[in-house]
Amino acid sequence: MTTPTTVLTVAGSDSGGGAGIQADLKVFAALGAYGTSVLTAVTAQNTRGVDAVLPLPPQLVTDQLDSVLSDFAVRAVKTGMLGTPAVAAAIADAAAADRLPQLVVDPVLVATSGHQLGVVEAVERLLPYARVATPNSAEAAALTGAAVTDVAEMTTAARALAAGGPEWVIVTGGDVDAGTEAVDVLHGPDGTTVLRAPRVPTRHTHGTGCSFSAAVTVRLALGDPVPVAVRAAKEYVTRALTGARDWELGAGRGPMDHFGWSA
């Protein structure tokens, strides 16, 4: 058996298992990569919301990162919830030292429930080092200071964020009203592309952003160009949403079918 490709997630823990570190590791496994992790915070949450957040000390985050990178040949890295500017600074230092290959930044700022999970300045520290940034519409609005409510505004936001450092930016539009479609906007050196897929009618949307960025990370680690990796990740999330649409897990926004159990 060929040794699997190793990828790394730097994110917070979701005790409900639908997002954060737990979702990332599920996606890594589902797509055939070996997942390693660096925990930035512990949360108490379920499908109904986030009840508590405890950020970890920056030194402990750095210690985890050093342990993983000193022993594994990590091919790509994604970040999720950073929690504090101090933790973001520690991760940015590692990125500046060229220790975080193929960096995908998922700028987690607010949970689906509305609970604050990160701060803009924490994410801004990391964006200049990102190969790909994957904000949703609310995160793109927070980072640019402008409204992001339709495809035109998503395009403007993607271009503005790309001008600030990331090589590629994809603004995901799962929360944007585009009728029967789920529309994302990708901007990079090749220009701007609008990606469309049928919108899946389901309440099981917890962890879509985490899972999408994790899937992009795996595809980059396996050698895909960014546009190919993004399209593959969108297809994966669409399948995972479809598989879970009739599940009865939790009373709120439930998790997706990461492993294709219902396919």
Side-chain angles (χ1 to χ4, degrees):
M1 179 179 179
T2 303
T3 300
T5 297
T6 301
V7 290
L8 168 64
T9 171
V10 181
S13 168
D14 172 6
S15 53
I21 286 279
Q22 287 85 344
D24 292 344
L25 293 176
K26 290 174 184 178
V27 173
F28 293 165
L31 297 181
Y34 181 81
T36 57
S37 61
V38 169
L39 199 63
T40 60
V42 176
T43 72
Q45 66 175 292
N46 53 30
T47 64
R48 292 173 296 185
V50 180
D51 297 313
V53 177
L54 178 64
L56 295 185
Q59 186 58 55
L60 182 56
V61 174
T62 298
D63 290 344
Q64 293 176 77
L65 190 64
D66 290 343
S67 290
V68 172
L69 295 179
S70 67
D71 193 39
F72 293 91
V74 172
R75 296 288 300 276
V77 180
K78 70 149 287 188
T79 62
M81 174 190 174
L82 299 174
T84 67
V87 167
I91 303 304
D93 286 345
D98 202 26
R99 301 178 67 202
L100 307 181
Q102 304 266 43
L103 180 61
V104 177
V105 175
D106 179 16
V108 177
L109 297 175
V110 180
T112 303
S113 64
H115 196 290
Q116 192 79 16
L117 293 180
V119 292
V120 169
E121 63 180 296
V123 171
E124 288 176 337
R125 287 179 181 267
L126 209 51
L127 285 177
Y129 305 104
R131 182 158 192 218
V132 185
T134 65
N136 62 27
S137 57
E139 291 158 351
L143 290 166
T144 61
V148 181
T149 60
D150 56 29
V151 174
E153 291 173 348
M154 290 167 67
T155 301
T156 299
R159 291 172 177 168
L161 289 171
E167 182 181 353
W168 295 84
V169 175
I170 180 161
V171 178
T172 58
D175 295 325
V176 173
D177 186 1
T180 60
E181 293 182 314
V183 179
D184 304 328
V185 175
L186 175 67
H187 181 76
D190 297 341
T192 304
T193 303
V194 177
L195 305 178
R196 302 177 184 274
R199 183 177 293 275
V200 180
T202 178
R203 69 177 176 90
H204 290 278
T205 58
H206 184 52
T208 49
C210 301
S211 300
F212 176 79
S213 59
V216 171
T217 305
V218 172
R219 297 308 311 178
L220 291 178
L222 295 176
D224 282 353
V226 171
V228 175
V230 165
R231 289 182 183 277
K234 186 173 178 65
E235 291 171 1
Y236 170 77
V237 169
T238 299
R239 291 195 304 271
L241 287 168
T242 301
R245 61 185 171 186
D246 296 323
W247 284 7
E248 295 184 8
L249 284 176
R253 292 197 176 193
M256 300 187 299
D257 182 6
H258 290 103
F259 294 109
W261 289 337
S262 299

